[in-house]
Amino acid sequence: KLRCWLRRITPPTLVVAGDQDGLVPLAHAETYAGEIPGADLAVVPDAAHWLSFEHPDRLVALTREFFTAG
């Protein structure tokens, strides 16, 4: 149901996913990033669903890069 709303998102968007996420398939992140206009997708290797606990430094770096690149 969410997919039909994604095209309405207008702010810069970063979709972050772990490549080993067993709860939300990577295909979902790829779809979200593809449907949100101008969205960026970052896939973190060796990370599952709890990215903020598994690789907090990597998540902070990705977020910082995203907000300073624009």
Side-chain angles (χ1 to χ4, degrees), residues 40-55:
D40 291 332
L41 173 63
V43 179
V44 180
D46 301 317
H49 190 71
W50 295 102
L51 188 59
S52 58
F53 293 106
E54 297 172 78
H55 300 284

Side-chain angles (χ1 to χ4, degrees), residues 60-70:
V60 168
L62 286 168
T63 304
R64 185 173 287 136
E65 289 169 21
F66 178 77
F67 283 109
T68 58

Side-chain angles (χ1 to χ4, degrees):
K1 294 181 181 182
L2 176 62
R3 189 173 184 187
C4 67
W5 297 99
L6 296 175
R7 62 182 167 77
R8 294 182 179 202
I9 297 173
T10 58
T13 304
L14 174 64
V15 178
V16 181
D19 72 344
Q20 302 297 314
D21 192 331
L23 187 60
V24 179
L26 182 56
H28 287 237
E30 293 168 339
T31 298
Y32 294 166
E35 296 283 332
I36 297 170
D40 291 332
L41 173 63
V43 179
V44 180
D46 301 317
H49 190 71
W50 295 102
L51 188 59
S52 58
F53 293 106
E54 297 172 78
H55 300 284
D57 293 340
R58 183 66 182 132
L59 182 58
V60 168
L62 286 168
T63 304
R64 185 173 287 136
E65 289 169 21
F66 178 77
F67 283 109
T68 58

